[in-house]
């Protein structure tokens, strides 16, 4: 079992058993490591301690953030601010597929793809020369199934596997590159005008903060379009880089996530710790 798989299993175990507050020994035993070794491996790959991660999970941060940051969210969206997010220190530029590119079906375009490991499980990454066009966590779907969808979007494109090229994207996502080594990441996505507008709005939610579907609808000038916003969020083709995991229900409930609510909660806790470390 790789360290990545162990950390994913440990995070999932803590998320699913947060009400019983498992000890370090409990979680270490679940991934078949000694407490000392597990603590060291977890810190290395998750960037925080098991105790701090569990603390973040136990916070009712969803309701608290929605209550405290609601006005900040609206201002951030209207002004186009991205906040002090570490995830976007390198910034992310979103470009939509043009009508001409859509009509040509990707003719002459080479799409590189690969599968890379992360603390939250394996991810599938695909990118055109203009930017990342697809990121999905594997599990509910296989890489072959995702490739079928990409083939439908780009029927005349050439698909080439290149795990080394896509590994760079995974490294930027989880800040494993040394300072100054990462270049700006571009996204090259296919969607309707409304979907693209929603995805741009998601990019403006600061890391470690959350917003509701209705807040995004209001900020876009469509206060009655919460359901449509939800559909656009669910259609996000680029996990993590377009942060659909930062959107929750108005009530504070975590809401749906294509790759499961447990993974969504794990990512939220991880980002929360990166932006606002919890004092021990």
């Amino acid at each position: 079992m790789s360290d990545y798989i162990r950390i994913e299993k440990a995070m999932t175990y803590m998320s699913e058993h947060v009400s019983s507050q498992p000890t370090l020994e409990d979680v270490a035993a679940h991934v078949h490591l000694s407490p000392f070794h597990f603590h060291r491996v977890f810190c290395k790959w998750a960037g925080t301690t098991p105790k701090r991660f569990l603390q973040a999970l136990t916070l009712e941060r969803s309701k608290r953030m929605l209550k405290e940051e609601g006005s900040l969210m609206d201002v951030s969206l209207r002004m186009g601010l991205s906040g002090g997010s570490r995830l976007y220190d390198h910034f992310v530029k979103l470009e939509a597929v043009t009508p001409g590119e859509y009509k040509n079906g990707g003719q002459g375009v080479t799409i590189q793809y690969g599968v890379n490991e992360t603390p939250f499980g394996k991810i599938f990454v695909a990118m055109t020369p203009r930017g990342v066009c697809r990121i999905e966590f594997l599990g509910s779907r296989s890489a072959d199934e995702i490739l079928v969808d990409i083939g439908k979007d780009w029927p005349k494109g050439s698909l080439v596997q290149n795990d080394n090229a896509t590994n760079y994207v995974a490294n930027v996502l989880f800040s494993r590159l040394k300072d100054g080594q990462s270049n700006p990441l571009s996204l090259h996505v296919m969607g309707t005008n409304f979907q693209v507008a929603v995805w741009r709005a998601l990019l403006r939610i600061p890391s470690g903060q959350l917003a509701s579907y209705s807040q995004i609808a209001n900020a876009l000038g469509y206060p009655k379009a919460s359901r449509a916003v939800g559909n656009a969020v669910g259609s996000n083709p680029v996990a993590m880089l377009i942060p659909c995991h930062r959107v929750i229900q108005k009530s504070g409930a975590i809401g749906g996530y294509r790759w499961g609510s447990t993974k969504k909660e794990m990512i939220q806790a991880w980002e929360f710790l990166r932006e606002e470390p919890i004092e021990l």
Side-chain angles (χ1 to χ4, degrees):
M1 184 186 301
S2 71
D3 287 343
Y4 273 123
I5 295 175
R6 283 194 173 94
I7 298 312
E8 181 191 8
K9 287 187 65 176
M11 286 182 166
T12 301
Y13 180 81
M14 284 188 277
S15 181
E16 292 177 344
H17 295 82
V18 64
S19 60
S20 61
Q21 292 290 289
T23 65
L24 176 66
E25 290 75 15
D26 292 334
V27 185
H30 182 69
V31 295
H32 308 294
L33 292 176
S34 70
F36 175 80
H37 190 197
F38 166 67
H39 189 276
R40 187 167 61 180
V41 171
F42 191 95
C43 291
K44 177 182 178 181
W45 294 110
T48 187
T49 67
K51 181 177 180 179
R52 291 174 68 196
F53 183 75
L54 185 61
Q55 285 178 323
L57 288 172
T58 58
L59 290 176
E60 290 189 277
R61 63 186 180 285
S62 296
K63 294 180 181 179
R64 180 176 59 82
M65 284 188 176
L66 275 179
K67 182 178 180 180
E68 296 177 359
E69 308 295 348
S71 59
L72 172 62
M73 172 62 198
D74 291 339
V75 171
S76 177
L77 286 175
R78 286 199 301 269
M79 300 301 293
L81 303 176
S82 61
S85 165
R86 294 181 188 173
L87 181 58
Y88 294 106
D89 280 345
H90 46 79
F91 72 89
V92 174
K93 181 181 179 182
L94 185 151
E95 294 185 16
V97 170
T98 67
E101 289 173 325
Y102 180 80
K103 182 178 179 180
N104 292 336
Q107 187 171 9
V109 175
T110 297
I111 302 165
Q112 297 186 92
Y113 70 91
V115 174
N116 305 106
E117 296 197 74
T118 79
F120 303 112
K122 291 184 178 181
I123 57 169
F124 176 98
V125 179
M127 53 191 185
T128 73
R130 288 180 56 192
V132 179
C133 62
R134 187 71 62 96
I135 297 180
E136 286 197 32
F137 289 102
L138 297 183
S140 59
R141 300 209 303 163
S142 68
D144 288 340
E145 290 174 305
I146 300 171
L147 283 171
V148 170
D149 281 354
I150 294 176
K152 293 177 181 177
D153 290 341
W154 306 85
K156 298 180 181 178
S158 300
L159 290 167
V160 177
Q161 184 166 3
N162 189 341
D163 293 337
N164 290 331
T166 58
N167 189 51
Y168 175 82
V169 177
N171 282 331
V172 172
L173 266 174
F174 295 95
S175 301
R176 292 198 299 270
L177 295 176
K178 295 180 180 178
D179 292 343
Q181 284 190 343
S182 61
N183 295 318
L185 280 180
S186 294
L187 306 181
H188 191 200
V189 297
M190 190 176 295
T192 66
N193 289 338
F194 183 77
Q195 286 175 327
V196 172
V198 171
W199 298 339
R200 291 188 190 280
L202 299 185
L203 287 171
R204 299 182 185 119
I205 303 174
S207 179
Q209 296 183 28
L210 305 172
S212 69
Y213 299 101
S214 59
Q215 284 177 315
I216 294 173
N218 286 331
L220 291 174
Y222 300 101
K224 297 183 179 180
S226 294
R227 184 178 295 275
V229 166
N231 290 334
V233 171
S235 300
N236 170 26
V238 186
M240 295 287 291
L241 279 179
I242 296 178
C244 56
H245 56 273
R246 297 179 190 161
V247 185
I248 61 176
Q249 296 177 8
K250 187 176 182 179
S251 65
I254 197 166
Y257 193 55
R258 191 188 311 174
W259 301 282
S261 58
T262 297
K263 193 177 296 290
K264 183 176 184 178
E265 187 175 40
M266 287 159 52
I267 295 171
Q268 287 178 355
W270 176 74
E271 280 196 343
F272 180 71
L273 284 170
R274 282 158 59 94
E275 299 305 318
E276 298 183 39
I278 298 172
E279 294 183 4
L280 299 179

